[in-house]
Amino acid sequence: MFYDYEKASDRLLKALKLCRQYDINEEAPKIYVEQGALLMTYATQKRDDEYFEQAESAYRKAFWEARRYGQWHTMITAFINLGNRMFSSNRIDSIQKEIEAFKGCTEARHEYNYNYAYYLQEGLLYMEKQDYDRAREAFRKQMHSLPPGDKYSYLLYGSYASMVKSFVYEERYDSAIVYELQMLDLATRTNMKDGQTVALYDLSEMYRLNGDSLRAAEYYNQALRYKDSLLNKNKLDEVGVMQFVQQLEANKSELHGYKRYNLYISCLLFLVVGIGVVWFVVGKRRAAKEPAATPTEKYMKSTLDDETKESLKEKIQEVFEHNREIFTPNFNLDRLSELCESKPKYVSQVINQLYETNFSSLLNLYRIKEACRIINDKDKVGNYTLEAIAGLVGFKSRATFHTTFKRVMGQTPGEYIKSVHKKMS
């Protein structure tokens, strides 16, 4: 089941044109739902936050417009998609208005997907309260609310994903893997290609968090193959999607009668970009003129004493040496500070003063060290692609991994692998 972006974009644009031409605004919610589906599918394949945000916006518009026109089925569909997206990105609190509005629509109770959506919002609210057992009970009710058969397999897939997320919150990765495997099986059985790709990526992450780097790499390699297959199959490239988004926005503006909207927005964007460029250039020149403050000068007013610094350094060292969470793509200074039970500004100060580097450089040092360990493992060498190794140690792209590896090791990953092979032969 491939998403044909070219046909989808063409038909959506035609539909919007008809809405504009015949003043049938009540059809807009359905178009927004389809717009969200197109963008969400592409965002999932590309793992691109920009398209995720566009999809979220489309679903939100669809929800409120559908509610306005009493299109309950469309409203519920938009709510389900928006709820699942916010759940997966840890932003349940951002849809409180939609949750309250949904609960207040008693007219929608006759729709077949109402109970599914009701148990979704119930589960989300329990998740926000960290009552994971009750949340999972709600998600199980979701599953049982669906009729038998594969007709609504995409909804069942969403319930499995919610179960996975609830276990991940508790760091119960073994249980999360059980449901993730069910997601993969369902997606494979129903030929849901996009779902297979997501499940494979997630399984790679689950196994990595569970300490099984070999299986993590296997699933990561499978995910990359599926991703490449999907992107080659789909006919619309990234530039095409951006043009499509712009056209949708232009049509939407005309649909509501704001014919000068794009001109004003374009002027505003040029102004903002112009100011941004000037600000950047001035800032760079100013920085070039002013000598950088040394760590000692920078932290002269700090209240940290030497004993506290040493204690915090030990905690930082413990995390970097023994906590595999540093190899997750979104590990950051705030998370390190939580693990060290300190504030980011203090952790940053200790890294700057006692390690004589910054957080990013220190993190990359340990990630490259782990990459070298994987490459030097004679039982595993040759099993991984460079992209798989990059993913295993926390880099989001092969290019960033390549650049960082060369900066740290003085040679490219490929050159390093060749040298290791030469030693082993």
Side-chain angles (χ1 to χ4, degrees), residues 197-261:
T197 305
V198 172
L200 288 168
Y201 270 120
D202 288 349
L203 278 167
S204 172
E205 185 68 13
M206 293 302 102
Y207 277 115
R208 177 166 60 179
L209 291 171
N210 213 30
D212 191 339
S213 58
L214 183 58
R215 283 193 177 181
E218 290 173 355
Y219 280 110
Y220 191 80
N221 277 322
Q222 287 186 56
L224 290 176
R225 287 196 294 272
Y226 269 85
K227 174 186 172 184
D228 290 342
S229 173
L230 282 170
L231 292 177
N232 289 332
K233 184 76 176 180
N234 293 323
K235 299 175 183 177
L236 195 64
D237 62 10
E238 188 167 358
V239 174
V241 173
M242 281 303 296
Q243 292 173 344
F244 169 62
V245 171
Q246 291 166 3
Q247 286 176 290
L248 282 171
E249 289 301 309
N251 278 284
K252 177 203 70 177
S253 301
E254 293 178 11
L255 181 66
H256 290 284
Y258 298 105
K259 295 184 178 179
R260 296 187 182 90
Y261 177 88

Side-chain angles (χ1 to χ4, degrees), residues 208 323-329 366-367 370 391-394:
R208 177 166 60 179
N323 194 323
R324 295 194 63 80
E325 192 176 341
I326 68 170
F327 305 123
T328 58
Y366 276 92
R367 285 178 169 177
E370 175 66 7
L392 281 171
V393 298

Side-chain angles (χ1 to χ4, degrees), residues 1 79 131 296 315 354 385 403:
M1 186 186 299
F79 178 76
D131 191 341
T296 303
K315 291 180 180 179
L354 303 190
T385 63
T403 302

Side-chain angles (χ1 to χ4, degrees), residues 96-260:
Q96 292 304 316
K97 288 183 179 179
E98 284 78 11
I99 288 176
E100 291 304 314
F102 166 77
K103 290 164 68 176
C105 286
T106 55
E107 305 96 323
R109 289 181 179 176
H110 65 279
E111 296 290 343
Y112 80 87
N113 54 357
Y114 177 85
N115 286 337
Y116 181 93
Y118 181 85
Y119 291 128
L120 171 64
Q121 63 84 24
E122 187 176 83
L124 294 180
L125 291 176
Y126 281 129
M127 285 296 300
E128 198 169 29
K129 296 175 184 176
Q130 299 183 359
D131 191 341
Y132 304 120
D133 288 333
R134 287 190 178 181
R136 282 189 285 271
E137 184 179 342
F139 297 143
R140 290 190 187 96
K141 288 178 180 178
Q142 257 194 318
M143 298 178 197
H144 295 313
S145 73
L146 297 172
D150 292 334
K151 184 177 180 181
Y152 303 110
S153 57
Y154 65 98
L155 292 178
L156 181 58
Y157 185 95
S159 297
Y160 284 149
S162 296
M163 293 292 285
V164 169
K165 191 74 173 177
S166 70
F167 284 118
V168 170
Y169 269 66
E170 293 186 289
E171 299 183 2
R172 294 171 58 184
Y173 302 121
D174 285 335
S175 298
I177 287 170
V178 170
Y179 280 94
E180 198 72 64
L181 287 169
Q182 291 185 61
M183 287 172 63
L184 180 59
D185 178 69
L186 175 64
T188 303
R189 190 178 73 250
T190 58
N191 202 28
M192 196 188 304
K193 299 296 184 183
D194 300 315
Q196 285 176 277
T197 305
V198 172
L200 288 168
Y201 270 120
D202 288 349
L203 278 167
S204 172
E205 185 68 13
M206 293 302 102
Y207 277 115
R208 177 166 60 179
L209 291 171
N210 213 30
D212 191 339
S213 58
L214 183 58
R215 283 193 177 181
E218 290 173 355
Y219 280 110
Y220 191 80
N221 277 322
Q222 287 186 56
L224 290 176
R225 287 196 294 272
Y226 269 85
K227 174 186 172 184
D228 290 342
S229 173
L230 282 170
L231 292 177
N232 289 332
K233 184 76 176 180
N234 293 323
K235 299 175 183 177
L236 195 64
D237 62 10
E238 188 167 358
V239 174
V241 173
M242 281 303 296
Q243 292 173 344
F244 169 62
V245 171
Q246 291 166 3
Q247 286 176 290
L248 282 171
E249 289 301 309
N251 278 284
K252 177 203 70 177
S253 301
E254 293 178 11
L255 181 66
H256 290 284
Y258 298 105
K259 295 184 178 179
R260 296 187 182 90

Side-chain angles (χ1 to χ4, degrees), residues 38-99:
L38 186 151
L39 291 165
M40 186 63 74
T41 305
Y42 193 81
T44 300
Q45 291 172 18
K46 295 289 287 183
R47 300 245 161 173
D48 192 313
D49 289 339
E50 180 180 355
Y51 298 118
F52 277 127
E53 290 173 6
Q54 292 279 358
E56 292 163 13
S57 176
Y59 285 139
R60 207 180 291 270
K61 291 172 190 170
F63 175 86
W64 290 107
E65 286 292 301
R67 182 173 180 270
R68 176 185 173 191
Y69 290 110
Q71 298 172 1
W72 308 124
H73 175 76
T74 302
M75 183 197 78
I76 294 170
T77 301
F79 178 76
I80 290 170
N81 286 314
L82 185 62
N84 284 332
R85 170 57 193 159
M86 294 310 177
F87 184 17
S88 67
S89 57
N90 302 323
R91 289 180 290 147
I92 299 172
D93 61 327
S94 69
I95 58 168
Q96 292 304 316
K97 288 183 179 179
E98 284 78 11
I99 288 176

